[in-house]
Amino acid sequence: RVREYWLVAYSLIYLISGSGGTLLSAFLTPYQPEVGASGSLFGIIGSHIARDFVEIDDWTRTIGAWRKDHSLSKMFGWLLICVFLLIPGLLPWIDNWGHLGGLLYGFLGSIVILDHRVKKADSWWDWFIRMTTRVTVMCVLGLMTLLFVYLFYCKQDLEIHVGFMNCIPFTADFCLDSCMELRPRIST
């Protein structure tokens, strides 16, 4: 029964983070085609970061002795892996915005879906805080999704220069579009 719960929970996180990565990428780089499940995989990494983040009890004590606290060192390990995985995204045709969107949605979705701190003797106050956090994060996820969809469809003239996150032009034609004919989403 526990195995079925984790399968469903991680499947939901996988789908949520893939959708979130695609939304962020479509908003920030609308004329760049994208394929693959890397945003979803970054979402799974985001769920592990969220788990380690939630397991840290006392931040002031932890920062002083971060090597002894396994949760903090694991969290920094996951963040270091993310940095190394984002470096190839500086080449053309690899979508770092999809990766970062998947990481963000996976982190937030994990807080909503997974119950990281299950204790048998939780007080009603701990339960209230946990539920309030979940509802707040669900609202943030919903608002972010609505904002990205709104900006994608309604604010096409909004110029955001974020190209260097997806490709660094080492030469004059390094980041060109390979003769692809990319058209606007809605014809005027």
Side-chain angles (χ1 to χ4, degrees):
R1 193 143 182 108
V2 172
R3 183 178 292 170
E4 293 169 0
Y5 167 74
W6 286 106
L7 178 66
V8 171
Y10 273 102
S11 297
L12 282 172
I13 291 170
Y14 188 85
L15 291 173
I16 289 170
S17 57
S19 301
T22 301
L23 278 172
L24 183 64
S25 173
F27 165 61
L28 291 175
T29 54
Y31 300 115
Q32 180 177 345
E34 57 194 48
V35 296
S38 56
S40 297
L41 296 174
F42 268 83
I44 298 296
I45 292 173
S47 72
H48 288 290
I49 293 171
R51 178 201 60 209
D52 296 334
F53 182 80
V54 169
E55 286 179 357
I56 296 173
D57 287 329
D58 185 7
W59 278 91
T60 56
R61 179 189 55 82
T62 302
I63 291 176
W66 70 276
R67 291 182 188 214
K68 294 178 183 175
D69 190 359
H70 297 295
S71 298
L72 188 64
S73 60
K74 285 192 299 185
M75 186 176 68
F76 282 124
W78 283 113
L79 290 172
L80 188 63
I81 288 171
C82 286
V83 168
F84 283 125
L85 290 175
L86 288 173
I87 290 172
L90 299 176
L91 298 173
W93 302 106
I94 299 175
D95 189 12
N96 268 344
W97 291 115
H99 297 163
L100 290 174
L103 184 72
L104 176 66
Y105 271 75
F107 181 86
L108 295 175
S110 173
I111 291 173
V112 172
I113 295 170
L114 299 178
D115 196 8
H116 296 290
R117 299 183 64 137
V118 177
K119 296 179 183 176
K120 292 187 177 185
D122 274 346
S123 67
W124 70 271
W125 181 250
D126 291 335
W127 177 86
F128 177 75
I129 294 294
R130 196 165 50 236
M131 289 302 124
T132 305
T133 303
R134 283 182 173 176
V135 169
T136 304
V137 171
M138 282 176 26
C139 292
V140 168
L141 278 171
L143 289 174
M144 280 179 15
T145 302
L146 289 175
L147 176 71
F148 291 149
V149 169
Y150 171 75
L151 291 174
F152 178 73
Y153 282 112
C154 300
K155 296 290 184 185
Q156 295 179 10
D157 57 346
L158 187 67
E159 280 198 35
I160 299 176
H161 300 285
V162 293
F164 287 137
M165 186 65 182
N166 276 349
C167 183
I168 295 179
F170 296 110
T171 63
D173 58 349
F174 188 71
C175 297
L176 291 181
D177 59 3
S178 299
C179 299
M180 291 179 55
E181 292 185 31
L182 302 173
R183 294 180 221 139
R185 295 183 292 269
I186 298 174
S187 60
T188 55

